[in-house]
Amino acid sequence: MFSVTNSTQVPFYFILTGVPGFEVFHAWISIPFCCLYTISIMGNTTILAVIRAEPSLHEPMYLFLSMLALTDLGLTLTTLPTVMGILWFSASEISFEACFAQFFFLHGFSFMESSVLLAMSFDRYVAICHPLRYISILTNRVISRIGIAIICRCVVVVLPGLFLLKQLPFCGSKHLSHSYCLHQDMIHLVCADTTINNWYGFVVALLIITLDPLLIVFSYALILRSVLRIGSQVESLRALNNCLSHILAVFVLYVPMVGLSMTHRFAKHAPPLVHVIMANVYLLAPPVMNPIIYSVKTKQIRRAIFHLFSHRQL
C-alpha cells in the first residue's frame, strides 16, 4: 500500500496503460497512432500558417479558426509523449507531478476547444443575423478579449479540480487505465471520500458538456430563424453552408465527449478496451478531423493552402 498526501514524501508515480490485451502488438498499433498524430500536427500547423500568411483570412471567422487550430495542436502535443512512449518504448511510468501537469493541459485544452466552438457559433450568428454590423461587432480587440476570456475560463475550471484531487491520498493500485492522466481515471485510485470532487465534476459537466452545447444550439436556432426569413432559397442554402464546417466540428467534439463521460459513469464494468477506444476517439478525433473538415469545406482555406504550397514550390 502507498499514499501521497504532500510533496515531502517519497516520489510517487502512476503506471499508464497502452492497449490492454494487445501489448505484444504495440509496435504495430503505433503505426496508425503515429499517422493520426502526424495528420493532426501537420494539418493544424498548415491552418495556422495559411491564416497568418494570407491577408484575406485576417477576418473574425478565421481568427477563431486559428484559436481552434492552436487548441487542437496543444491537445495533440499533450498526449503524444505518453502515448507514443508506451507504444514505442514501453515507458509506462509517469511521475506524480508530471501526471498532474498532463491532467491540467489535457482537460484545459479539451474545455478550451468547447469554449472556442461556442465563440465560433456566436461568430456565425453575427455573420448571418447581423451581416452589416459583423465587422463593427467582432473587432480585433473584441476577438482578443474573447480569447483571453476563454483561457481564463478554462484555467478557473480546471485548477480547482486539480488541487482537490492532488490533496487526496492515493493508495492501493497505481495503474491507470489510459495512456494519459484523465480525472475520471485518477479519481478511482483515491482511498478517501471523493464527494466534493464528484460534485465539482458534476458542476463542470453542467458548465461545459451541457451548457456550451445548449448555447450553440440556441445560436443555431436564431440562425435558422433568420435564414428561413430569407426569400431566396439559394441565399438560404449559402448561409447554411457557411455553418456546415462548424456544425461538423461540434459533432466531432461533443459526440465522443458525451460517449466517454457516459462510459465512465454507467459502464464501469465494461472491458478495459472499450474505455481505451472511447478515450482515444475523444482526444484524437477533433485534432485530426478539424483541419480536414475546414480544408475540404471552406473554399478560402483550400485556396490559401494551394497558394501557399504552390508559392513555396516556385
Side-chain angles (χ1 to χ4, degrees):
M1 177 185 258
F2 56 88
S3 66
V4 172
T5 56
N6 58 63
S7 58
T8 63
Q9 294 181 332
V10 178
F12 170 72
Y13 61 92
F14 294 103
I15 298 178
L16 301 172
T17 302
V19 183
F22 295 87
E23 287 80 5
V24 294
F25 300 108
H26 274 180
W28 292 103
I29 295 172
S30 69
I31 296 175
F33 273 92
C34 188
C35 291
L36 291 174
Y37 278 120
T38 302
I39 292 171
S40 174
I41 294 172
M42 293 299 295
N44 288 293
T45 302
T46 301
I47 293 291
L48 290 170
V50 298
I51 292 175
R52 180 181 180 181
E54 186 61 47
S56 64
L57 298 181
H58 295 174
E59 297 179 0
M61 172 184 174
Y62 303 108
L63 294 178
F64 284 120
L65 178 57
S66 66
M67 292 183 193
L68 186 66
L70 277 172
T71 303
D72 285 334
L73 202 54
L75 192 60
T76 298
L77 296 177
T78 298
T79 61
L80 186 150
T82 53
V83 172
M84 299 312 299
I86 291 173
L87 296 179
W88 280 347
F89 310 111
S90 299
S92 58
E93 291 186 4
I94 183 170
S95 69
F96 184 75
E97 297 298 334
C99 192
F100 275 92
Q102 188 180 53
F103 168 103
F104 173 77
F105 287 107
L106 186 56
H107 289 283
F109 281 121
S110 178
F111 295 156
M112 197 176 296
E113 178 128 3
S114 178
S115 301
V116 172
L117 288 176
L118 177 58
M120 294 175 79
S121 71
F122 175 69
D123 166 78
R124 293 297 82 205
Y125 163 74
V126 176
I128 294 174
C129 299
H130 304 283
L132 299 180
R133 300 170 56 198
Y134 181 58
I135 300 300
S136 62
I137 293 176
L138 290 173
T139 62
N140 287 340
R141 176 178 291 184
V142 170
I143 294 172
S144 298
R145 289 178 176 176
I146 291 175
I148 294 172
I150 288 173
I151 294 173
C152 293
R153 180 198 192 205
C154 296
V155 170
V156 168
V157 167
V158 174
L159 278 183
L162 186 150
F163 288 130
L164 285 172
L165 184 61
K166 197 172 183 181
Q167 297 305 312
L168 295 175
F170 292 82
C171 54
S173 175
K174 53 188 175 182
H175 289 263
L176 295 172
S177 59
H178 297 293
S179 303
Y180 25 76
C181 300
L182 285 173
H183 178 271
Q184 303 96 312
D185 198 12
M186 296 170 69
I187 197 73
H188 293 153
L189 303 185
V190 172
C191 55
D193 184 19
T194 59
T195 301
I196 297 177
N197 303 68
N198 293 333
W199 274 108
Y200 185 78
F202 176 73
V203 172
V204 170
L206 284 179
L207 289 175
I208 304 294
I209 302 179
T210 305
L211 182 60
D212 283 6
L214 286 178
L215 291 175
I216 291 173
V217 170
F218 178 68
S219 68
Y220 273 105
L222 296 177
I223 290 172
L224 186 59
R225 185 183 68 173
S226 178
V227 167
L228 292 176
R229 291 177 177 175
I230 300 176
S232 171
Q233 185 176 2
V234 175
E235 291 296 326
S236 299
L237 292 175
R238 183 180 300 172
L240 291 175
N241 188 59
N242 288 335
C243 300
L244 184 57
S245 297
H246 179 256
I247 293 172
L248 292 175
V250 168
F251 276 102
V252 166
L253 173 66
Y254 287 112
V255 170
M257 180 185 286
V258 172
L260 179 63
S261 179
M262 298 292 284
T263 301
H264 274 283
R265 289 186 179 275
F266 303 110
K268 296 179 180 179
H269 301 293
L273 185 60
V274 174
H275 293 275
V276 170
I277 291 174
M278 291 298 299
N280 283 313
V281 170
Y282 161 59
L283 292 174
L284 282 174
V288 170
M289 293 303 300
N290 285 339
I292 296 174
I293 290 170
Y294 278 94
S295 298
V296 172
K297 297 301 298 180
T298 308
K299 185 186 299 183
Q300 293 85 344
I301 293 291
R302 191 165 60 248
R303 287 177 178 175
I305 292 174
F306 289 146
H307 179 266
L308 178 66
F309 284 102
S310 62
H311 181 72
R312 286 187 175 183
Q313 290 177 356
L314 295 174

